[in-house]
Coordinates of all heavy atoms in Angstrom, one line a residue:
M1 N 92.8 109.5 82.8 CA 92.7 108.0 82.9 C 91.9 107.7 84.1 O 92.1 108.2 85.2 CB 94.1 107.5 83.0 CG 94.1 106.0 83.3 SD 95.8 105.4 83.5 CE 95.9 104.3 82.0
E2 N 90.8 106.8 83.9 CA 90.0 106.4 85.1 C 90.5 105.2 85.7 O 90.9 104.3 85.0 CB 88.6 106.1 84.5 CG 87.6 105.9 85.5 CD 86.3 105.6 85.0 OE1 85.8 106.4 84.1 OE2 85.6 104.6 85.3
F3 N 90.6 105.2 87.0 CA 91.0 104.1 87.8 C 90.0 103.1 87.9 O 88.7 103.3 88.1 CB 91.4 104.6 89.2 CG 91.7 103.4 90.1 CD1 93.0 102.8 90.0 CD2 90.9 103.0 91.1 CE1 93.3 101.7 90.8 CE2 91.2 102.0 92.0 CZ 92.4 101.3 91.7
E4 N 90.3 101.8 87.6 CA 89.3 100.8 87.7 C 89.7 99.8 88.8 O 90.9 99.3 88.9 CB 89.2 100.0 86.4 CG 88.8 100.8 85.3 CD 88.5 100.0 83.9 OE1 88.8 98.8 84.0 OE2 88.2 100.6 82.9
A5 N 88.8 99.6 89.7 CA 89.1 98.7 90.9 C 88.6 97.2 90.6 O 87.4 97.1 90.5 CB 88.5 99.3 92.1
Y6 N 89.5 96.4 90.6 CA 89.2 94.9 90.5 C 89.6 94.2 91.8 O 90.6 94.6 92.4 CB 89.9 94.3 89.4 CG 89.6 95.0 88.0 CD1 90.6 95.4 87.1 CD2 88.3 95.3 87.6 CE1 90.3 96.0 85.9 CE2 88.0 95.9 86.4 CZ 88.9 96.2 85.6 OH 88.7 96.8 84.4
Q7 N 88.9 93.2 92.1 CA 89.2 92.4 93.3 C 89.5 91.1 93.0 O 88.8 90.4 92.2 CB 87.9 92.3 94.3 CG 87.4 93.6 94.9 CD 88.2 93.9 96.1 OE1 88.4 93.0 97.0 NE2 88.7 95.1 96.3
H8 N 90.6 90.5 93.5 CA 90.9 89.1 93.4 C 90.1 88.5 94.5 O 89.9 89.0 95.5 CB 92.4 88.8 93.7 CG 93.3 89.2 92.6 ND1 93.5 88.4 91.5 CD2 94.0 90.4 92.4 CE1 94.4 89.0 90.6 NE2 94.7 90.2 91.1
L9 N 89.6 87.2 94.2 CA 88.8 86.5 95.2 C 89.6 86.4 96.5 O 89.0 86.3 97.6 CB 88.3 85.2 94.7 CG 87.0 84.7 95.3 CD1 85.9 85.6 95.1 CD2 86.7 83.3 94.9
I10 N 90.8 86.2 96.5 CA 91.7 86.0 97.7 C 91.5 87.2 98.6 O 91.5 86.9 99.8 CB 93.2 85.7 97.3 CG1 93.9 85.2 98.6 CG2 93.8 86.9 96.6 CD1 93.6 83.9 99.1
Q11 N 91.3 88.3 98.1 CA 91.2 89.5 99.1 C 89.9 89.3 99.8 O 89.9 89.6 101.1 CB 91.2 90.7 98.2 CG 92.4 91.1 97.5 CD 92.3 92.2 96.4 OE1 91.5 92.0 95.5 NE2 93.0 93.2 96.6
N12 N 88.9 88.9 99.2 CA 87.6 88.7 100.0 C 87.6 87.4 100.8 O 87.0 87.4 101.9 CB 86.4 88.6 99.0 CG 86.1 90.1 98.4 OD1 86.0 91.0 99.2 ND2 85.9 90.2 97.2
L13 N 88.4 86.4 100.5 CA 88.6 85.3 101.3 C 89.3 85.6 102.6 O 88.8 85.3 103.7 CB 89.3 84.2 100.6 CG 89.6 82.9 101.5 CD1 88.4 82.1 101.6 CD2 90.8 82.2 100.9
V14 N 90.3 86.4 102.5 CA 91.1 86.9 103.7 C 90.1 87.7 104.6 O 90.1 87.6 105.8 CB 92.3 87.6 103.3 CG1 92.9 88.3 104.5 CG2 93.3 86.7 102.6
K15 N 89.4 88.6 104.0 CA 88.4 89.5 104.8 C 87.4 88.5 105.5 O 87.1 88.7 106.7 CB 87.7 90.4 103.9 CG 88.6 91.5 103.3 CD 87.8 92.4 102.3 CE 88.7 93.2 101.5 NZ 88.1 93.8 100.3
A16 N 86.9 87.6 104.8 CA 85.9 86.7 105.3 C 86.5 85.9 106.5 O 85.8 85.7 107.6 CB 85.3 85.7 104.3
K17 N 87.6 85.4 106.2 CA 88.3 84.6 107.4 C 88.5 85.5 108.6 O 88.2 85.0 109.7 CB 89.6 84.0 106.9 CG 90.4 83.2 107.9 CD 91.8 82.7 107.4 CE 92.5 82.0 108.4 NZ 93.7 81.4 108.0
I18 N 89.0 86.6 108.5 CA 89.4 87.5 109.6 C 88.1 87.9 110.2 O 88.0 87.8 111.6 CB 90.1 88.8 109.2 CG1 91.5 88.4 108.7 CG2 90.1 89.8 110.3 CD1 92.3 89.5 108.0
I19 N 87.1 88.2 109.6 CA 85.8 88.6 110.2 C 85.1 87.5 110.8 O 84.7 87.5 112.0 CB 84.8 89.4 109.1 CG1 85.5 90.7 108.7 CG2 83.5 89.6 109.8 CD1 84.8 91.2 107.6
G20 N 85.0 86.4 110.1 CA 84.2 85.2 110.5 C 85.0 84.4 111.7 O 84.3 83.9 112.6
K21 N 86.3 84.3 111.6 CA 87.0 83.5 112.7 C 87.5 84.3 113.8 O 87.9 83.7 114.8 CB 88.2 82.7 112.0 CG 87.8 81.9 110.8 CD 86.9 80.6 111.5 CE 86.5 79.7 110.3 NZ 85.8 78.6 110.8
T22 N 87.5 85.6 113.7 CA 88.1 86.4 114.8 C 87.0 87.3 115.3 O 86.4 87.0 116.4 CB 89.2 87.3 114.3 OG1 90.3 86.5 113.6 CG2 89.8 88.1 115.4
Y23 N 86.6 88.4 114.7 CA 85.6 89.3 115.3 C 84.2 88.7 115.5 O 83.6 89.1 116.5 CB 85.5 90.5 114.3 CG 86.8 91.3 114.1 CD1 87.4 91.2 112.8 CD2 87.4 91.9 115.1 CE1 88.6 91.9 112.7 CE2 88.5 92.6 115.0 CZ 89.1 92.5 113.8 OH 90.4 93.2 113.6
A24 N 83.8 87.8 114.7 CA 82.4 87.3 114.9 C 82.3 86.3 116.0 O 81.3 85.9 116.5 CB 81.9 86.7 113.6
T25 N 83.5 85.8 116.5 CA 83.6 84.8 117.6 C 84.0 85.3 118.9 O 83.9 84.8 119.9 CB 84.5 83.6 117.1 OG1 85.9 84.2 117.0 CG2 84.2 83.0 115.9
Q26 N 84.4 86.6 118.9 CA 84.9 87.2 120.2 C 83.7 88.0 120.7 O 83.1 88.9 120.1 CB 86.0 88.1 119.9 CG 87.3 87.4 119.4 CD 88.4 88.3 119.2 OE1 88.3 89.6 119.2 NE2 89.5 87.9 118.9
P27 N 83.4 87.7 122.0 CA 82.3 88.4 122.6 C 82.6 89.9 122.7 O 83.8 90.3 122.9 CB 82.2 87.9 124.1 CG 82.8 86.5 123.9 CD 83.9 86.6 122.8
G28 N 81.6 90.7 122.5 CA 81.8 92.2 122.6 C 80.8 92.9 121.8 O 79.8 92.4 121.4
L29 N 81.0 94.2 121.9 CA 80.0 95.2 121.3 C 79.7 94.9 119.8 O 78.6 95.1 119.4 CB 80.5 96.6 121.4 CG 80.4 97.3 122.9 CD1 81.0 98.6 122.7 CD2 79.0 97.3 123.2
Y30 N 80.7 94.5 119.1 CA 80.6 94.3 117.6 C 80.5 92.9 117.2 O 80.5 92.7 116.0 CB 81.7 95.0 117.0 CG 81.8 96.5 117.4 CD1 82.8 96.9 118.2 CD2 80.9 97.3 116.9 CE1 82.8 98.3 118.6 CE2 81.0 98.8 117.2 CZ 81.9 99.1 118.1 OH 81.9 100.5 118.4
Q31 N 80.3 92.0 118.0 CA 80.2 90.6 117.6 C 79.0 90.3 116.7 O 79.2 89.7 115.7 CB 80.2 89.6 118.8 CG 80.2 88.1 118.4 CD 80.1 87.3 119.6 OE1 79.7 87.6 120.7 NE2 80.5 85.9 119.4
A32 N 77.9 90.8 117.1 CA 76.7 90.5 116.3 C 76.8 91.2 114.9 O 76.5 90.6 113.9 CB 75.5 91.1 117.0
R33 N 77.3 92.4 114.8 CA 77.5 93.1 113.6 C 78.5 92.4 112.7 O 78.4 92.3 111.5 CB 77.9 94.5 113.8 CG 78.1 95.3 112.6 CD 76.8 95.5 111.8 NE 77.0 96.2 110.5 CZ 76.5 95.9 109.3 NH1 75.9 94.8 109.2 NH2 76.9 96.6 108.3
A34 N 79.6 91.8 113.3 CA 80.7 91.1 112.6 C 80.0 89.9 112.0 O 80.4 89.5 110.8 CB 81.8 90.8 113.5
K35 N 79.1 89.2 112.7 CA 78.4 88.0 112.2 C 77.6 88.4 110.9 O 77.6 87.6 109.9 CB 77.6 87.3 113.2 CG 78.4 86.6 114.2 CD 77.5 85.9 115.3 CE 78.3 85.3 116.3 NZ 77.4 84.7 117.4
E36 N 76.9 89.5 111.0 CA 76.1 90.0 109.9 C 77.0 90.3 108.6 O 76.7 89.9 107.6 CB 75.4 91.2 110.2 CG 74.2 91.1 111.3 CD 73.6 92.3 111.8 OE1 73.9 93.5 111.2 OE2 72.9 92.3 112.7
I37 N 78.1 91.0 108.9 CA 79.0 91.3 107.8 C 79.5 90.0 107.2 O 79.6 90.0 105.9 CB 80.1 92.3 108.3 CG1 79.4 93.6 108.6 CG2 81.2 92.5 107.2 CD1 80.4 94.5 109.4
Y38 N 80.0 89.2 108.0 CA 80.6 87.8 107.5 C 79.6 87.2 106.7 O 79.9 86.7 105.5 CB 80.9 87.0 108.8 CG 81.5 85.7 108.4 CD1 82.6 85.4 107.7 CD2 80.6 84.5 108.7 CE1 83.0 84.1 107.4 CE2 81.1 83.3 108.5 CZ 82.3 83.0 107.8 OH 82.6 81.8 107.5
T39 N 78.4 87.0 107.1 CA 77.3 86.2 106.4 C 77.1 86.9 105.1 O 76.9 86.2 104.0 CB 76.0 86.2 107.2 OG1 76.3 85.5 108.5 CG2 74.9 85.5 106.5
E40 N 76.9 88.3 105.2 CA 76.6 89.0 103.8 C 77.8 88.9 102.8 O 77.6 88.7 101.7 CB 76.4 90.5 104.2 CG 75.9 91.3 103.0 CD 75.6 92.7 103.4 OE1 75.6 93.1 104.6 OE2 75.5 93.6 102.5
L41 N 79.0 89.0 103.4 CA 80.2 88.9 102.5 C 80.2 87.5 101.9 O 80.5 87.4 100.6 CB 81.5 89.2 103.3 CG 82.8 89.1 102.5 CD1 82.9 90.0 101.3 CD2 84.0 89.3 103.5
R42 N 80.1 86.4 102.6 CA 80.1 85.1 102.1 C 79.0 85.0 100.9 O 79.2 84.5 99.9 CB 79.8 84.0 103.1 CG 81.0 83.8 104.0 CD 80.7 82.7 104.9 NE 80.6 81.4 104.3 CZ 79.4 80.6 104.4 NH1 78.5 81.0 105.2 NH2 79.3 79.5 103.8
K43 N 77.8 85.3 101.2 CA 76.7 85.3 100.3 C 77.0 86.1 99.0 O 76.8 85.6 97.9 CB 75.3 85.8 100.9 CG 74.3 85.7 100.0 CD 73.0 86.2 100.7 CE 71.7 86.1 99.9 NZ 71.8 86.1 98.4
N44 N 77.6 87.3 99.2 CA 77.8 88.2 98.0 C 78.9 87.5 97.1 O 78.9 87.6 95.9 CB 78.3 89.6 98.5 CG 77.1 90.4 99.0 OD1 75.9 90.0 98.8 ND2 77.3 91.5 99.7
I45 N 80.0 87.0 97.8 CA 81.0 86.4 97.0 C 80.5 85.2 96.2 O 80.6 85.1 94.9 CB 82.1 85.8 97.9 CG1 82.9 87.1 98.5 CG2 83.1 85.0 97.1 CD1 83.7 86.7 99.7
V46 N 79.8 84.3 96.8 CA 79.2 83.1 96.2 C 78.3 83.5 95.1 O 78.3 82.9 94.0 CB 78.7 82.1 97.2 CG1 78.0 80.9 96.4 CG2 79.8 81.6 98.1
D47 N 77.4 84.4 95.5 CA 76.3 84.8 94.5 C 76.9 85.4 93.2 O 76.5 85.2 92.1 CB 75.3 85.7 95.2 CG 74.4 85.0 96.1 OD1 74.4 83.7 96.1 OD2 73.6 85.8 96.8
N48 N 77.9 86.3 93.5 CA 78.5 87.0 92.3 C 79.3 86.0 91.4 O 79.2 86.1 90.2 CB 79.4 88.1 92.8 CG 79.8 89.0 91.6 OD1 79.0 89.7 91.1 ND2 81.1 88.9 91.2
V49 N 80.1 85.1 92.0 CA 80.8 84.2 91.1 C 79.9 83.3 90.3 O 80.0 83.2 89.0 CB 81.7 83.3 92.0 CG1 82.3 82.1 91.1 CG2 82.8 84.2 92.6
F50 N 78.8 82.9 90.9 CA 77.8 82.1 90.2 C 77.1 82.9 89.1 O 76.8 82.5 88.0 CB 76.8 81.5 91.2 CG 75.8 80.6 90.5 CD1 76.2 79.4 90.0 CD2 74.4 80.9 90.5 CE1 75.2 78.5 89.4 CE2 73.5 80.1 89.9 CZ 73.9 79.0 89.4
K51 N 76.7 84.1 89.5 CA 76.0 85.0 88.5 C 76.8 85.2 87.3 O 76.4 85.1 86.2 CB 75.6 86.3 89.2 CG 75.0 87.4 88.2 CD 75.0 88.8 88.8 CE 76.3 89.4 89.0 NZ 76.6 90.6 88.6
E52 N 78.1 85.5 87.5 CA 79.0 85.8 86.3 C 79.3 84.4 85.6 O 79.4 84.5 84.4 CB 80.3 86.4 86.8 CG 80.2 87.8 87.1 CD 79.8 88.6 86.0 OE1 80.5 88.9 85.0 OE2 78.6 89.0 85.9
Y53 N 79.3 83.3 86.3 CA 79.4 82.1 85.6 C 78.2 81.9 84.7 O 78.3 81.5 83.5 CB 79.6 80.9 86.6 CG 79.7 79.6 85.9 CD1 80.9 79.2 85.2 CD2 78.7 78.7 85.8 CE1 80.9 78.0 84.4 CE2 78.7 77.6 85.1 CZ 79.8 77.1 84.5 OH 79.9 76.0 83.8
E54 N 77.0 82.1 85.2 CA 75.9 82.0 84.4 C 75.8 82.9 83.3 O 75.4 82.5 82.1 CB 74.6 82.1 85.3 CG 74.2 81.0 86.2 CD 72.9 81.1 86.8 OE1 72.6 82.2 87.3 OE2 72.0 80.1 86.7
R55 N 76.2 84.1 83.5 CA 76.2 85.1 82.4 C 77.1 84.8 81.3 O 76.9 85.0 80.1 CB 76.5 86.5 83.1 CG 76.3 87.7 82.1 CD 76.5 89.0 82.8 NE 78.0 89.2 83.1 CZ 78.9 89.7 82.2 NH1 78.5 89.9 80.9 NH2 80.1 89.9 82.5
T56 N 78.4 84.4 81.7 CA 79.4 84.3 80.7 C 79.9 82.9 80.4 O 80.6 82.7 79.4 CB 80.7 85.1 81.1 OG1 81.2 84.5 82.3 CG2 80.4 86.5 81.4
G57 N 79.6 81.9 81.2 CA 80.1 80.6 81.2 C 81.5 80.4 81.6 O 82.1 79.4 81.4
Y58 N 82.0 81.4 82.4 CA 83.3 81.3 82.9 C 83.4 81.8 84.4 O 82.5 82.6 84.8 CB 84.4 82.3 82.1 CG 84.5 81.9 80.7 CD1 83.9 82.8 79.7 CD2 85.3 80.9 80.3 CE1 84.1 82.4 78.4 CE2 85.5 80.5 79.0 CZ 84.9 81.3 77.9 OH 85.1 81.0 76.7
V59 N 84.5 81.4 85.0 CA 84.8 82.0 86.3 C 86.0 82.9 85.9 O 86.8 82.5 85.0 CB 85.1 81.1 87.4 CG1 83.9 80.3 87.9 CG2 86.2 80.0 87.1
W60 N 86.2 84.0 86.7 CA 87.2 85.0 86.2 C 88.3 85.2 87.3 O 88.1 84.8 88.5 CB 86.4 86.3 86.1 CG 85.5 86.2 84.9 CD1 84.2 85.6 84.9 CD2 85.7 86.8 83.6 NE1 83.6 85.8 83.7 CE2 84.5 86.5 82.8 CE3 86.8 87.4 83.0 CZ2 84.4 86.9 81.6 CZ3 86.7 87.8 81.6 CH2 85.4 87.4 81.0
E61 N 89.4 85.7 86.9 CA 90.5 86.0 87.7 C 90.2 87.2 88.7 O 90.5 87.1 89.9 CB 91.7 86.5 87.0 CG 92.9 86.9 87.8 CD 94.1 87.5 87.0 OE1 94.0 87.7 85.9 OE2 95.1 87.6 87.7
Q62 N 89.5 88.2 88.2 CA 89.1 89.3 89.0 C 87.7 89.7 88.7 O 87.1 89.4 87.7 CB 90.1 90.6 88.7 CG 91.4 90.2 88.9 CD 92.4 91.4 88.5 OE1 91.9 92.2 87.7 NE2 93.6 91.3 88.8
Y63 N 87.1 90.5 89.7 CA 85.8 90.9 89.6 C 85.7 92.4 89.8 O 86.4 93.0 90.8 CB 84.8 90.2 90.5 CG 84.7 88.8 90.2 CD1 85.6 87.8 90.6 CD2 83.7 88.2 89.3 CE1 85.6 86.5 90.2 CE2 83.7 87.0 88.9 CZ 84.6 86.1 89.4 OH 84.6 84.8 89.0
D64 N 84.9 93.2 89.1 CA 84.8 94.6 89.2 C 84.4 94.9 90.6 O 83.3 94.4 91.0 CB 83.9 95.2 88.2 CG 83.9 96.7 88.2 OD1 83.2 97.3 89.1 OD2 84.6 97.4 87.3
A65 N 85.0 95.8 91.3 CA 84.6 96.1 92.7 C 83.2 96.8 92.9 O 82.6 96.7 93.9 CB 85.7 97.0 93.4
T66 N 82.7 97.4 91.8 CA 81.5 98.1 91.9 C 80.4 97.2 91.2 O 79.3 97.1 91.8 CB 81.6 99.4 91.0 OG1 82.7 100.2 91.6 CG2 80.3 100.2 91.1
T67 N 80.5 96.7 90.0 CA 79.5 96.0 89.3 C 79.5 94.5 89.5 O 78.5 93.8 89.3 CB 79.6 96.2 87.8 OG1 80.9 95.6 87.4 CG2 79.6 97.7 87.4
G68 N 80.7 93.9 90.0 CA 80.8 92.5 90.1 C 81.1 91.7 88.8 O 81.3 90.6 88.9
E69 N 81.1 92.5 87.7 CA 81.5 91.9 86.4 C 82.9 91.2 86.3 O 83.8 91.8 86.8 CB 81.4 92.9 85.4 CG 81.5 92.5 83.9 CD 81.4 93.5 82.8 OE1 80.5 94.4 83.2 OE2 82.0 93.5 82.0
G70 N 82.9 90.0 85.8 CA 84.2 89.3 85.7 C 85.1 90.0 84.8 O 84.7 90.7 83.7
K71 N 86.4 90.1 85.2 CA 87.4 90.9 84.4 C 88.7 90.0 84.2 O 89.0 89.2 85.0 CB 87.8 92.2 85.2 CG 86.7 93.2 85.3 CD 86.3 93.8 83.9 CE 85.2 94.8 84.2 NZ 84.7 95.4 82.9
R72 N 89.4 90.5 83.3 CA 90.8 89.9 83.0 C 90.8 88.6 82.6 O 89.9 88.1 81.7 CB 91.7 90.3 84.0 CG 91.7 91.8 84.4 CD 93.0 92.4 84.5 NE 92.9 93.8 84.7 CZ 93.6 94.5 85.5 NH1 94.6 94.0 86.0 NH2 93.4 95.8 85.6
S73 N 91.6 87.6 83.1 CA 91.7 86.2 82.7 C 90.6 85.3 82.8 O 89.9 85.5 83.9 CB 92.9 85.6 83.4 OG 94.1 86.4 83.1
H74 N 90.2 84.6 81.9 CA 89.2 83.6 82.0 C 89.5 82.5 81.0 O 90.1 82.8 79.9 CB 87.8 84.2 81.9 CG 87.5 84.6 80.4 ND1 88.1 85.8 79.8 CD2 86.8 84.0 79.5 CE1 87.7 85.9 78.6 NE2 86.9 84.9 78.3
P75 N 89.1 81.2 81.1 CA 88.6 80.7 82.3 C 89.8 80.7 83.4 O 90.9 80.6 83.0 CB 88.2 79.3 82.0 CG 89.0 78.9 80.7 CD 89.3 80.3 80.1
F76 N 89.4 80.9 84.6 CA 90.4 81.0 85.7 C 89.9 80.3 86.9 O 88.9 80.6 87.5 CB 90.6 82.5 86.0 CG 91.7 82.8 87.0 CD1 93.0 82.8 86.6 CD2 91.5 82.9 88.3 CE1 94.0 83.0 87.4 CE2 92.5 83.0 89.2 CZ 93.8 83.1 88.7
T77 N 90.6 79.2 87.3 CA 90.2 78.5 88.5 C 91.2 78.6 89.6 O 91.1 77.8 90.6 CB 90.1 77.1 88.1 OG1 91.2 76.5 87.4 CG2 88.8 76.8 87.1
G78 N 92.1 79.6 89.6 CA 93.1 79.7 90.6 C 92.3 80.3 91.9 O 91.8 79.5 92.6
W79 N 92.5 81.5 92.1 CA 91.8 82.1 93.3 C 90.3 81.8 93.3 O 89.8 81.7 94.4 CB 92.1 83.7 93.3 CG 93.5 84.1 93.4 CD1 94.1 84.9 92.6 CD2 94.6 83.8 94.4 NE1 95.4 85.2 92.9 CE2 95.7 84.4 94.0 CE3 94.5 82.9 95.5 CZ2 96.9 84.2 94.8 CZ3 95.6 82.7 96.2 CH2 96.8 83.4 95.8
T80 N 89.7 81.9 92.2 CA 88.2 81.7 92.2 C 87.8 80.3 92.6 O 86.7 80.2 93.2 CB 87.7 81.9 90.8 OG1 88.2 83.2 90.3 CG2 86.2 82.1 90.7
S81 N 88.7 79.4 92.7 CA 88.4 78.1 93.2 C 88.2 78.1 94.7 O 87.6 77.2 95.3 CB 89.4 77.0 92.8 OG 90.6 77.3 93.3
L82 N 88.7 79.2 95.3 CA 88.6 79.4 96.7 C 87.1 79.5 97.2 O 86.8 79.5 98.3 CB 89.4 80.5 97.3 CG 90.9 80.4 97.0 CD1 91.6 81.7 97.4 CD2 91.4 79.2 97.9
T83 N 86.2 79.9 96.3 CA 84.8 79.9 96.5 C 84.3 78.7 97.3 O 83.5 78.7 98.1 CB 84.0 80.1 95.2 OG1 84.5 81.3 94.5 CG2 82.5 80.3 95.5
T84 N 84.9 77.5 96.9 CA 84.5 76.3 97.6 C 84.9 76.3 99.1 O 84.2 75.8 99.9 CB 85.2 75.0 96.9 OG1 86.6 75.1 96.9 CG2 84.6 74.9 95.5
L85 N 86.0 77.0 99.4 CA 86.4 77.1 100.8 C 85.5 78.1 101.6 O 85.1 77.9 102.7 CB 87.9 77.6 100.9 CG 88.9 76.7 100.4 CD1 90.3 77.3 100.6 CD2 88.9 75.3 101.1
I86 N 85.0 79.1 100.8 CA 84.1 80.0 101.4 C 82.8 79.3 101.7 O 82.2 79.6 102.8 CB 83.9 81.3 100.5 CG1 85.3 82.1 100.5 CG2 82.7 82.1 101.0 CD1 85.3 83.1 99.3
L87 N 82.3 78.5 100.8 CA 81.1 77.8 100.9 C 81.1 76.9 102.1 O 80.2 76.8 102.9 CB 80.7 77.0 99.7 CG 80.1 77.7 98.6 CD1 80.1 76.9 97.4 CD2 78.7 78.1 98.9
S88 N 82.2 76.2 102.3 CA 82.4 75.1 103.4 C 83.0 75.8 104.6 O 83.1 75.1 105.6 CB 83.3 74.0 102.9 OG 84.6 74.6 102.5
E89 N 83.3 77.0 104.6 CA 84.0 77.7 105.8 C 85.2 77.0 106.2 O 85.5 76.9 107.4 CB 83.0 77.9 106.9 CG 81.8 78.8 106.5 CD 80.8 79.1 107.6 OE1 80.0 78.1 108.0 OE2 80.9 80.2 108.2
Q90 N 86.0 76.5 105.3 CA 87.3 75.8 105.5 C 88.4 76.8 105.3 O 88.9 76.8 104.2 CB 87.4 74.6 104.7 CG 86.4 73.5 105.0 CD 86.5 73.0 106.4 OE1 87.6 72.6 106.8 NE2 85.3 72.9 107.1
Y91 N 88.7 77.6 106.3 CA 89.8 78.6 106.1 C 91.1 78.2 106.7 O 91.1 77.8 107.8 CB 89.3 79.9 106.7 CG 88.1 80.5 106.2 CD1 87.0 80.6 107.0 CD2 87.9 80.8 104.9 CE1 85.8 81.1 106.6 CE2 86.8 81.4 104.4 CZ 85.6 81.5 105.3 OH 84.4 82.0 104.9

């Protein structure tokens, strides 16, 4: 049996919040890199949700961790609606 890794959007929201509001704001050796990771993570989340919406006409409950393909429940506006918080940086 092959293991399939799916990500709920909430998992990435928490990562973005921690990186963006903590590590990227604290002066130190890794502040600049944390800002880069935060910016890239936000962009990837928003781009992927939009790409899958364009491809399928739905937002999904989970997204494949490797391909980004929407998986499981759809239409799903629960966790995936958090994309608006990521866009506005309202954590």
Side-chain angles (χ1 to χ4, degrees):
M1 174 185 245
E2 184 177 317
F3 174 75
E4 295 183 7
Y6 301 130
Q7 292 276 315
H8 286 277
L9 203 66
I10 187 69
Q11 293 167 303
N12 286 314
L13 175 77
V14 170
K15 291 173 195 171
K17 179 181 179 180
I18 291 168
I19 294 168
K21 299 293 182 179
T22 304
Y23 298 111
T25 61
Q26 293 178 355
L29 286 175
Y30 301 105
Q31 182 180 22
R33 181 64 181 133
K35 286 180 182 178
E36 291 171 11
I37 292 169
Y38 172 70
T39 300
E40 184 178 351
L41 178 58
R42 282 183 68 237
K43 181 180 181 335
N44 288 344
I45 292 167
V46 172
D47 287 354
N48 190 73
V49 170
F50 184 67
K51 175 189 69 125
E52 284 300 287
Y53 177 76
E54 282 191 314
R55 184 179 74 82
T56 67
Y58 296 107
V59 293
W60 295 79
E61 176 186 10
Q62 299 172 348
Y63 295 85
D64 186 281
T66 303
T67 66
E69 184 178 322
K71 298 288 183 182
R72 308 226 175 147
S73 299
H74 72 283
F76 187 83
T77 54
W79 299 125
T80 306
S81 65
L82 296 172
T83 304
T84 57
L85 295 179
I86 294 169
L87 279 166
S88 64
E89 297 183 286
Q90 297 296 311
Y91 305 114

